[in-house]
Each structure stands twice: as structure tokens, then as C-alpha cells.
Amino acid sequence: MPHAETENGNLYYEVIDLVVPWETRRETIIFHHGIGASSGIWTEWLPQLIERYRIVRFDMRGYGRSHVPPRVFKWTLDLLAQDVLAITDAVGAERAHLVGESIGGTIALYCAIKHPERVATLTISNGADVGAPLQKVQAWQKQIDEQGIKAWSEQFMRDRFYDGALEETKRAWYANQQEAWTRDSILNALGVLVDTDLQSQLPAVRCPVLLMHGDTSPFIPVDIMVEMHHRLPDSRLQVFAHARHGLPFSHARRCAETLHEFLGSVRSEHGPPV
């Protein structure tokens, strides 16, 4: 199994390269999931993208086959951004299209701010530039410590999806992925997110940006995304009806179509990334 080496443990990733042989520029999309999710949430996005783009998915630090830090480990936004660059280097991509959901979107945004030469485009799904609205650390810790991961996950599933939004087998799969997270990884990653405020740095983002958001996220109001859209120099905002925090999973195919159209328009306007 391929792993990207870092000073703080290795990160599992996978590459799906089915780009048609006549495509001369092999652009790479790197997908970054969020807290409670897994790299498998992107699966239904792939049919729209694999003919033209090389796909990279990875387990973020703290989950699955990647490094799961001990309780005393120091989590920072810089560290999580360096993880993205480690994956980018491991797959040999000088620049990549970054797609992130929830904290994965915030981390990708930070990469675009701090390492603009490595980011061709940025796509954020149900993520934001500020973490203050997500004041869930104490509530999540109390619920996990008193009731366990499964109870926390069941509540989070209601925050992610409307009743009946998913087939039962699909919903059960997601719940199983979420319940595999450890207490400390959940709370430490959330702590990084809550302490983040990138709003003043948004004008520094020079790559094209796609913002995708559900109309009824219980964590991030649409108004925050509208303000973010206005602060970014080159951004587009797509709000999806009847969608909560699980947007990239519940509306996977529509999200993929939106991303495909976005990347195609960027390619037409600017040409493929150098």
C-alpha cells in the first residue's frame, strides 16, 4: 500500500489513473475528506472525472491507514497543510487541483494561501474560512466521553443528512466509517478548525475557486459562504437545495458534474496548469 512519508508519521493514499491515452496533459485532482468521513466518500464523483484527470484520495492524519497520533500530539493547520504537500510530492504532481470537504476544504484553502505555486484550482464543499461557528468541541467531548463514539456518530449523521436522503446500505456504510474515528483525532482536528480564521487572507488566493454548499448546513450558514465568495478574487458559488453537511456524499454526482464544468471552464479560460 502506498504511503507518503512525513516527519510525523506516514499517510496512506491511492492513485486512480485512467486518463485516456490521447490526453496530453495529465492533471491531478487531490481529494481531502473531513472529520468523521473517509476517502471513500468521493467514489461516486469519479465517473465524471477519470477520463481527463488523475485522481488521488488519501486518509487524512488521524484516521484509517494514515498516522493516528497519540493524545499529546500537537495538531496545527500548518501540519495538516504539509500533509497535503506530502501527498502532492508523493504522486509527483507539481501543481494539483485541490478538492476538500469540511475541514479538508479549510486545509486546502490554507494551502492555496501559503503555497499558491502548488495549487492549480481550489474546490471547497461544506467548508469555510473561519471555524468560530463550529463551537462543538465541548459538546462533542461530553457526548463522546459519556455516551461513546457511536452516539456521537448517530447525532452527526442527522447533522449530515436529511431523513431518507440516502439508501439504507449507503447510510450504514457512512456511519461505519464515521464510527471508526478515535476520540482524540475527532476532538484535536476539530480544535484546529475552531481556532482557524483565514478571512483576512482570502484576497491572497489567486487561483480559481469553486465553493459548493448545502442550503441547510447546521454548522455553516449560507451567508458565510456568500461573504467568502465576495472576498475571493476569482470564485464561483453553487448552493445545493435540500442538502446538509453531508453534501459531497448525498449529492455526489451533482457535485462531480459541477466540478467537471468548473475545471473545464478554467481550462478554456487559462489553459491546463503548467
Side-chain angles (χ1 to χ4, degrees):
M1 296 189 298
H3 284 81
E5 296 183 2
T6 80
E7 294 180 357
N8 298 288
N10 296 342
L11 306 169
Y12 173 83
Y13 69 91
E14 62 182 14
V15 178
I16 302 170
D17 189 349
L18 296 174
V19 178
V20 293
W22 52 88
E23 183 63 60
T24 57
R25 300 300 294 264
R26 307 183 75 79
E27 301 172 49
T28 299
I29 302 175
I30 297 178
F31 287 96
H32 194 318
H33 66 80
I35 300 169
S38 77
S39 60
I41 68 169
W42 309 108
T43 301
E44 290 185 315
W45 291 51
L46 304 189
Q48 288 281 342
L49 303 167
I50 55 177
E51 287 188 0
R52 173 165 286 180
Y53 303 99
R54 188 172 65 136
I55 305 298
V56 179
R57 305 185 293 183
F58 73 102
D59 292 347
M60 74 171 285
R61 184 180 299 276
Y63 175 76
R65 296 155 289 188
S66 289
H67 175 238
V68 178
R71 178 171 295 189
V72 296
F73 186 82
K74 178 66 174 176
W75 291 67
T76 67
L77 191 57
D78 269 316
L79 172 74
L80 296 173
Q82 288 298 323
D83 286 349
V84 176
L85 297 184
I87 296 293
T88 307
D89 289 340
V91 302
E94 197 167 321
R95 297 178 74 207
H97 303 286
L98 298 187
V99 179
E101 68 100 15
S102 195
I103 192 177
T106 306
I107 295 165
L109 172 61
Y110 188 74
C111 287
I113 293 169
K114 296 297 184 181
H115 307 282
E117 74 285 354
R118 305 301 303 273
V119 183
T121 68
L122 170 65
T123 297
I124 299 174
S125 175
N126 55 292
D129 54 333
V130 292
L134 294 168
Q135 295 290 351
K136 288 278 188 178
V137 176
Q138 291 183 346
W140 278 10
Q141 180 174 338
K142 185 174 187 294
Q143 184 173 36
I144 291 171
D145 288 346
E146 293 181 358
Q147 302 175 35
I149 292 290
K150 188 173 182 63
W152 162 81
S153 177
E154 288 174 354
Q155 175 59 54
F156 201 3
M157 290 295 287
R158 291 190 288 273
D159 291 333
R160 289 193 188 276
F161 309 111
Y162 281 103
D163 290 344
L166 303 176
E167 298 173 2
E168 187 52 41
T169 53
K170 189 174 177 180
R171 190 183 191 282
W173 176 86
Y174 199 112
N176 287 336
Q177 304 302 301
Q178 193 160 260
E179 291 166 18
W181 277 70
T182 66
R183 170 196 184 275
D184 294 325
S185 291
I186 294 166
L187 298 178
N188 288 328
L190 180 63
V192 171
L193 184 56
V194 168
D195 289 340
T196 295
D197 186 348
L198 303 176
Q199 190 173 84
S200 65
Q201 301 180 63
L202 293 184
V205 177
R206 294 302 172 186
C207 67
V209 179
L210 171 63
L211 304 173
M212 295 191 285
H213 203 67
D215 63 343
T216 48
S217 169
F219 304 125
I220 306 170
V222 173
D223 288 351
I224 288 180
M225 302 309 296
V226 172
E227 184 175 356
M228 188 174 170
H229 167 51
H230 289 318
R231 288 176 179 269
L232 288 162
D234 182 6
S235 69
R236 308 161 203 200
L237 171 62
Q238 176 70 51
V239 177
F240 293 79
H242 202 64
R244 310 200 80 187
H245 199 66
L247 171 68
F249 194 65
S250 61
H251 294 62
R253 290 180 174 86
R254 288 177 57 199
C255 287
E257 290 171 2
T258 304
L259 175 61
H260 187 273
E261 292 171 3
F262 166 68
L263 294 179
S265 67
V266 170
R267 191 183 180 103
S268 297
E269 293 171 12
H270 304 289
V274 177

